[in-house]
Amino acid sequence: MYQSQLLDTYKKAKNYVQDKQIAHDLNLPASRIYEMRKGKRYISDSEAVFLAEESGIDPEIALLGCHADRNDNPRVKAMWESIAKKFNGQGLRAISMASAGLALVLTPDFAHAARCVLCGLC
Protein backbone atom coordinates (compact mmCIF):
# COMPACT_ATOMS: atom_id res chain seq x y z
CA MET A 1 0.00 0.00 0.00
CA TYR A 2 1.36 3.34 -1.03
CA GLN A 3 -0.21 5.26 1.84
CA SER A 4 1.74 3.22 4.38
CA GLN A 5 4.94 4.02 2.48
CA LEU A 6 4.00 7.70 2.49
CA LEU A 7 3.43 7.62 6.25
CA ASP A 8 6.78 5.88 6.76
CA THR A 9 8.58 8.42 4.58
CA TYR A 10 7.04 11.30 6.52
CA LYS A 11 7.89 9.62 9.82
CA LYS A 12 11.51 9.20 8.71
CA ALA A 13 11.75 12.77 7.38
CA LYS A 14 10.58 14.14 10.73
CA ASN A 15 12.66 11.66 12.76
CA TYR A 16 9.53 10.45 14.51
CA VAL A 17 9.39 7.15 16.35
CA GLN A 18 5.63 6.77 16.81
CA ASP A 19 2.63 7.07 14.53
CA LYS A 20 0.85 9.22 17.11
CA GLN A 21 3.33 11.98 16.23
CA ILE A 22 2.10 11.84 12.64
CA ALA A 23 -1.49 11.90 13.89
CA HIS A 24 -0.74 15.03 15.92
CA ASP A 25 0.67 16.80 12.85
CA LEU A 26 -2.43 15.85 10.83
CA ASN A 27 -4.73 16.80 13.71
CA LEU A 28 -6.18 13.27 13.79
CA PRO A 29 -6.68 10.68 16.51
CA ALA A 30 -3.79 8.20 16.72
CA SER A 31 -6.15 5.34 15.89
CA ARG A 32 -6.76 6.89 12.46
CA ILE A 33 -3.13 6.30 11.43
CA TYR A 34 -3.46 2.65 12.48
CA GLU A 35 -6.61 2.35 10.36
CA MET A 36 -4.78 3.90 7.39
CA ARG A 37 -1.94 1.41 7.71
CA LYS A 38 -4.40 -1.49 7.83
CA GLY A 39 -6.33 -0.20 4.78
CA LYS A 40 -9.54 0.46 6.70
CA ARG A 41 -9.32 4.19 6.00
CA TYR A 42 -7.56 6.19 3.34
CA ILE A 43 -5.43 9.29 3.39
CA SER A 44 -7.35 12.27 2.05
CA ASP A 45 -5.93 14.26 -0.85
CA SER A 46 -5.05 17.22 1.39
CA GLU A 47 -3.33 14.92 3.90
CA ALA A 48 -1.39 13.22 1.09
CA VAL A 49 -0.22 16.59 -0.25
CA PHE A 50 0.81 17.73 3.24
CA LEU A 51 2.74 14.52 3.94
CA ALA A 52 4.43 14.62 0.53
CA GLU A 53 5.48 18.25 0.75
CA GLU A 54 6.85 17.79 4.26
CA SER A 55 8.73 14.65 3.14
CA GLY A 56 10.23 16.18 0.01
CA ILE A 57 8.12 14.01 -2.31
CA ASP A 58 6.32 15.33 -5.39
CA PRO A 59 2.67 15.79 -4.28
CA GLU A 60 1.44 14.58 -7.67
CA ILE A 61 3.14 11.23 -7.12
CA ALA A 62 1.64 10.98 -3.64
CA LEU A 63 -1.84 11.64 -5.03
CA LEU A 64 -1.37 9.03 -7.76
CA GLY A 65 -0.30 6.40 -5.28
CA CYS A 66 -3.11 7.16 -2.84
CA HIS A 67 -5.77 7.11 -5.56
CA ALA A 68 -4.46 3.76 -6.84
CA ASP A 69 -4.75 2.43 -3.26
CA ARG A 70 -8.37 3.56 -2.96
CA ASN A 71 -9.72 1.67 -5.95
CA ASP A 72 -10.80 -1.96 -5.72
CA ASN A 73 -12.09 -2.05 -9.30
CA PRO A 74 -9.33 -3.60 -11.45
CA ARG A 75 -10.28 -1.48 -14.47
CA VAL A 76 -10.09 1.79 -12.53
CA LYS A 77 -6.92 0.64 -10.78
CA ALA A 78 -5.40 -0.10 -14.20
CA MET A 79 -6.22 3.45 -15.30
CA TRP A 80 -4.47 4.89 -12.25
CA GLU A 81 -1.55 2.58 -12.98
CA SER A 82 -1.44 3.88 -16.54
CA ILE A 83 -1.18 7.41 -15.22
CA ALA A 84 1.44 6.30 -12.71
CA LYS A 85 3.40 4.66 -15.54
CA LYS A 86 4.17 8.12 -16.86
CA PHE A 87 6.00 8.69 -13.58
CA ASN A 88 7.74 5.28 -13.55
CA GLY A 89 11.10 6.92 -13.12
CA GLN A 90 9.79 8.33 -9.86
CA GLY A 91 9.54 4.97 -8.09
CA LEU A 92 5.94 3.96 -8.83
CA ARG A 93 6.94 0.97 -10.96
CA ALA A 94 6.76 -1.42 -7.98
CA ILE A 95 3.35 -0.06 -7.01
CA SER A 96 2.06 -0.57 -10.54
CA MET A 97 3.31 -4.16 -10.65
CA ALA A 98 1.89 -4.98 -7.23
CA SER A 99 -1.48 -3.48 -8.15
CA ALA A 100 -1.58 -5.42 -11.42
CA GLY A 101 -0.80 -8.65 -9.58
CA LEU A 102 -3.52 -7.90 -7.06
CA ALA A 103 -5.98 -7.24 -9.85
CA LEU A 104 -5.18 -10.66 -11.33
CA VAL A 105 -5.72 -12.41 -8.02
CA LEU A 106 -8.97 -10.64 -7.17
CA THR A 107 -10.64 -10.97 -10.56
CA PRO A 108 -12.54 -14.25 -11.07
CA ASP A 109 -12.31 -14.05 -14.86
CA PHE A 110 -8.55 -14.46 -15.32
CA ALA A 111 -8.60 -13.91 -19.10
CA HIS A 112 -10.44 -10.61 -18.69
CA ALA A 113 -8.02 -9.54 -15.97
CA ALA A 114 -5.04 -10.41 -18.14
CA ARG A 115 -6.42 -8.22 -20.94
CA CYS A 116 -6.93 -5.35 -18.46
CA VAL A 117 -3.38 -5.65 -17.19
CA LEU A 118 -1.95 -5.89 -20.70
CA CYS A 119 -3.94 -2.82 -21.74
CA GLY A 120 -2.60 -0.97 -18.71
CA LEU A 121 0.94 -1.89 -19.56
CA CYS A 122 0.72 -0.83 -23.21
Side-chain angles (χ1 to χ4, degrees):
M1 270 193 324
Y2 180 80
Q3 66 183 13
S4 189
Q5 293 173 347
L6 182 59
L7 291 168
D8 287 338
T9 303
Y10 179 79
K11 190 180 196 180
K12 185 177 179 180
K14 294 292 186 178
N15 293 319
Y16 288 163
V17 293
Q18 296 181 331
D19 284 347
K20 69 180 181 179
Q21 294 168 297
I22 300 170
H24 181 266
D25 290 353
L26 293 174
N27 212 16
L28 299 171
S31 61
R32 185 71 48 89
I33 303 299
Y34 174 80
E35 293 169 346
M36 289 174 181
R37 288 194 182 275
K38 294 297 180 184
K40 294 179 182 178
R41 292 195 183 257
Y42 296 103
I43 294 175
S44 71
D45 289 346
S46 59
E47 292 164 347
V49 169
F50 171 79
L51 293 170
E53 288 176 342
E54 294 294 315
S55 302
I57 298 172
D58 185 352
E60 291 177 353
I61 294 171
L63 288 172
L64 284 171
C66 289
H67 278 273
D69 277 352
R70 290 180 196 154
N71 286 288
D72 293 328
N73 181 328
R75 184 169 178 247
V76 174
K77 190 176 277 286
M79 288 180 202
W80 280 112
E81 291 166 5
S82 175
I83 296 168
K85 185 178 176 185
K86 295 175 185 173
F87 290 99
N88 67 1
Q90 304 290 329
L92 287 179
R93 182 177 299 159
I95 293 170
S96 296
M97 284 196 257
S99 297
L102 184 62
L104 283 173
V105 171
L106 294 177
T107 304
D109 181 9
F110 184 78
H112 176 69
R115 284 193 303 273
C116 288
V117 170
L118 290 174
C119 289
L121 294 174
C122 292

